[in-house]
Amino acid sequence: MTVTIKDVAKKAGVSPSTVSRVLSNHPRISKETSQKVKEIVEELGYHSNIMARGLISNKTYTLGMVLPRPAEELFQNHFFSESIRGITTQASRQGYDVLMTAGSSEQDEVEAVTRLVRGRRVDGIILLQSRKNDPIISFLQKEAFPFILIGHYGNEEILCVDNDNEQASYDATVHLISQGHERIGFVSGPTNLTVSDDRLKGYKKALSEHGLRMEPDWIVEGEFLQESGYRAMAFFMNLPERPTALVVIDDIVTFGILRGLTELGYKVPDDLSLVSFNNIALSELSSPPLSSVDIGIYQLGYMASQLLIRHIDEDKPQQLRTIVPHKLIVRESSVNLKRNWS
């Protein structure tokens, strides 16, 4: 026999609407009543209907999430799978579902988000990437619709959870300098992403503060894909004067560099030292194990979900930007046991 909200209300001695308000955490319900109703809900094994809850609270109890372009990055890059795991874990704990949307172009993405927002299909939006001049952010701001960004959006005051990517890249570059490197290159992500800008700034700052030159040819842009690393490696190793070490935007990109170096018979770190970002599980298992900056990917997603739901419930967030700490994990790819730089 299915237990209904009326069964719960009858046993608790309250109205069905009171039960609904308790289930939606309405602030005007007394603690005593709330506790009593929740105990009976547990006792009877009642599972509230999400649509019924929505009628009372005017909520869908669903978060929207915009998946990145190109689609290859989503399936190849551990950052997205791990941040999504954090998002969905926290959302589920707070009684929310997550609805994912994507588009093959910028216009497709805007149209998909417009449908979610204006159709009232979600209570808030999570953006997994911070892009410059993002039309989705402009739309959400115009609609005054709750959203959170993993990353940051220049100096604009929007709700976001992020790392100090400039400092993280600075730390990675200084580590290579401490190993005796003077010719250090940088493999970036797409220039339309703020994370690429921030990490490039940290790299340049470290070189400047330590009196090292920065060659334009030692900075290469790419995507967050293995193939980008492979192409970058081929470019660097054919330069008349090549870097002896690289700071790489992402572990996946670094795997492409490692593959290319192995094919050409070069060794890491003897011929080229590497430090990258994200510290995914495979970084420790690669040959050699990768030095990588752990940015707390799961925590970024978990906190993005938590902060957005709090924003939805409380309207005005108390703090707009939350920083997740980073940590450089040093392994064999950047520790020089012998030096063969020329």
Side-chain angles (χ1 to χ4, degrees):
M1 179 178 175
T2 302
V3 177
T4 68
I5 197 169
K6 290 182 179 179
D7 297 327
V8 176
K10 182 177 180 181
K11 185 158 187 177
V14 298
S15 67
S17 61
T18 297
V19 175
S20 294
R21 289 188 178 93
V22 169
L23 295 175
S24 60
N25 296 313
H26 196 285
R28 293 186 179 178
I29 301 296
S30 70
K31 289 184 179 180
E32 293 78 9
T33 299
S34 179
Q35 182 64 29
K36 181 179 180 182
V37 169
K38 287 178 179 178
E39 287 175 358
I40 292 172
V41 164
E42 185 71 22
E43 178 187 337
L44 297 180
Y46 172 70
H47 299 283
S48 61
N49 182 290
I50 196 69
M51 293 183 66
R53 289 172 65 197
L55 290 173
I56 295 295
S57 64
N58 197 29
K59 292 181 184 178
T60 64
Y61 291 92
T62 303
L63 304 178
M65 182 165 56
V66 181
L67 300 179
R69 288 183 289 113
E72 291 90 341
E73 286 192 13
L74 176 64
F75 296 106
Q76 289 188 31
N77 198 311
H78 182 79
F79 174 86
F80 297 113
S81 60
E82 187 68 358
S83 58
I84 289 171
R85 186 173 74 89
I87 288 167
T88 54
T89 298
Q90 169 61 14
S92 177
R93 287 176 180 175
Q94 296 196 239
Y96 278 74
D97 295 320
V98 178
L99 178 61
M100 301 181 189
T101 188
S104 58
S105 68
E106 190 175 83
Q107 185 59 35
D108 286 344
E109 288 179 341
V110 174
E111 290 175 0
V113 172
T114 300
R115 288 193 298 271
L116 293 181
V117 171
R118 293 187 174 163
R120 293 295 166 183
R121 297 173 62 188
V122 297
D123 297 324
I125 297 285
I126 298 175
L127 303 177
L128 296 177
Q129 282 185 328
S130 177
R131 297 182 297 214
K132 301 174 186 175
N133 305 312
D134 193 336
I136 295 177
I137 290 180
S138 299
F139 168 75
L140 292 170
Q141 288 177 317
K142 183 179 178 181
E143 295 286 318
F145 194 79
F147 75 98
I148 191 167
L149 174 67
I150 296 181
H152 73 96
Y153 199 59
N155 294 322
E156 290 199 39
E157 293 190 349
I158 63 174
L159 187 63
C160 65
V161 58
D162 195 13
N163 305 111
D164 187 340
N165 282 296
E166 183 174 335
Q167 183 64 45
S169 186
Y170 177 91
D171 294 345
T173 308
V174 168
H175 164 66
L176 291 172
I177 294 171
S178 75
Q179 296 297 305
H181 294 279
E182 296 182 353
R183 305 198 306 269
I184 302 172
F186 185 82
V187 181
S188 179
T191 56
N192 69 323
L193 298 182
T194 59
V195 66
S196 299
D197 267 5
D198 290 344
R199 290 179 182 171
L200 182 59
K201 286 177 185 175
Y203 158 79
K204 289 181 176 180
K205 180 181 177 183
L207 294 185
S208 176
E209 288 188 1
H210 288 79
L212 300 180
R213 63 191 173 103
M214 183 198 68
E215 292 290 337
D217 283 347
W218 295 349
I219 300 174
V220 175
E221 175 195 348
E223 302 290 334
F224 290 96
L225 300 170
Q226 269 202 55
E227 285 306 309
S228 286
Y230 189 86
R231 289 193 297 268
M233 178 281 311
F235 174 79
F236 283 127
M237 302 312 282
N238 282 303
L239 289 175
E241 184 182 31
R242 62 176 178 81
T244 61
L246 297 177
V247 177
V248 188
I249 193 79
D250 185 276
D251 289 343
I252 296 296
V253 180
T254 311
F255 293 153
I257 293 174
L258 280 173
R259 177 164 60 92
L261 290 170
T262 301
E263 289 178 4
L264 292 175
Y266 290 107
K267 293 183 179 180
V268 175
D270 298 340
D271 298 304
L272 187 69
S273 293
L274 301 171
V275 177
S276 61
F277 291 82
N278 291 355
N279 192 39
I280 67 175
L282 289 176
S283 299
E284 190 173 4
L285 302 176
S286 68
S287 181
L290 282 180
S291 294
S292 187
V293 180
D294 192 323
I295 61 171
I297 303 173
Y298 176 86
Q299 190 68 11
L300 284 168
Y302 190 95
M303 292 192 71
S305 184
Q306 183 181 62
L307 293 169
L308 179 58
I309 293 171
R310 187 180 300 166
H311 175 31
I312 292 166
D313 290 339
E314 299 176 1
D315 190 29
K316 291 185 178 180
Q318 296 178 354
Q319 180 179 326
L320 288 175
R321 191 179 184 194
T322 299
I323 298 294
V324 173
H326 66 271
K327 182 180 181 181
L328 173 62
I329 309 297
V330 176
R331 301 191 181 99
E332 292 176 28
S333 71
S334 65
V335 179
N336 290 286
L337 302 178
K338 72 175 183 177
R339 292 172 178 172
N340 185 30
W341 309 329
S342 58

